Amino acid sequence: MTLATLVLALLLVCASAAAAQPAGAPQVLNGRVEARAGGDLAAATRAVAQGPTDVAWVGYAVPAEGRANRCCWKDSGDAGACCWGCRLEQGGGTAMPLPASGATDRPAPLEPVADRAVVLVRVAAGAIDRIRVYSPSCTLDAGGRTVIWLSTVTADASVTWLHTQAASGSRRLADDAVMALSAHAAPAALGHLIALARSSASTQLRKQAFFWLGQSKDPRALAFFAEILTR
């Protein structure tokens, strides 16, 4: 087989895999992606929690705050080679900033930055236990789990649902929800962060809200900090 034929075969495989994903969904390996109609997050996560599957992920995409890529390194062996992606299971899914664009051991992205954020909600043992955020270009290893993809979740609906999770979940889930709120470009998201920073009964939640507000370039965040400093 010539080099040109090999390259063409690889391109066809990649194109076929991408076509199998629902519109707007990230590339998922080692798992099954199931597209579902509807954008009601509460109903979708409740249906998964009451279903026969022990663990599944519910995902959707929203316009992102800023234009930062959210992904991780994933080792592929002892040789030191690696590829772009994140593991959803086994504690390997924490998103990190991408290294400099000069790195030669990763494929060149179609776009240097992402203007959408992929939100993934883990449902296990009948309850929500994790919320994570990635860039659409970040390949995800689902660890054999099913990813249920919702294509019609609005940004405002996502913000409202995440605020509820921040107020009612465990500390880890609350931290995840606040982080996810900070990734939204919807104006209401920053309003919720400011409200949490002002008046949350949880010191931890206030700290998280302050931290993520500190990453924002929105004039309302700057005005909030100016008010705090003045007082």
Side-chain angles (χ1 to χ4, degrees), residues 90-104:
Q90 301 175 347
T94 301
M96 297 178 290
L98 299 182
S101 59
T104 58

Side-chain angles (χ1 to χ4, degrees), residues 29-40:
L29 306 177
N30 190 22
R32 183 173 67 92
V33 181
E34 176 185 327
R36 287 192 185 176
D40 188 332

Side-chain angles (χ1 to χ4, degrees), residues 119-137:
V119 181
L120 284 168
V121 180
R122 188 176 191 265
V123 182
I128 296 165
D129 70 351
R130 291 307 305 264
I131 301 170
R132 289 175 175 162
V133 179
Y134 303 102
S135 295
S137 59

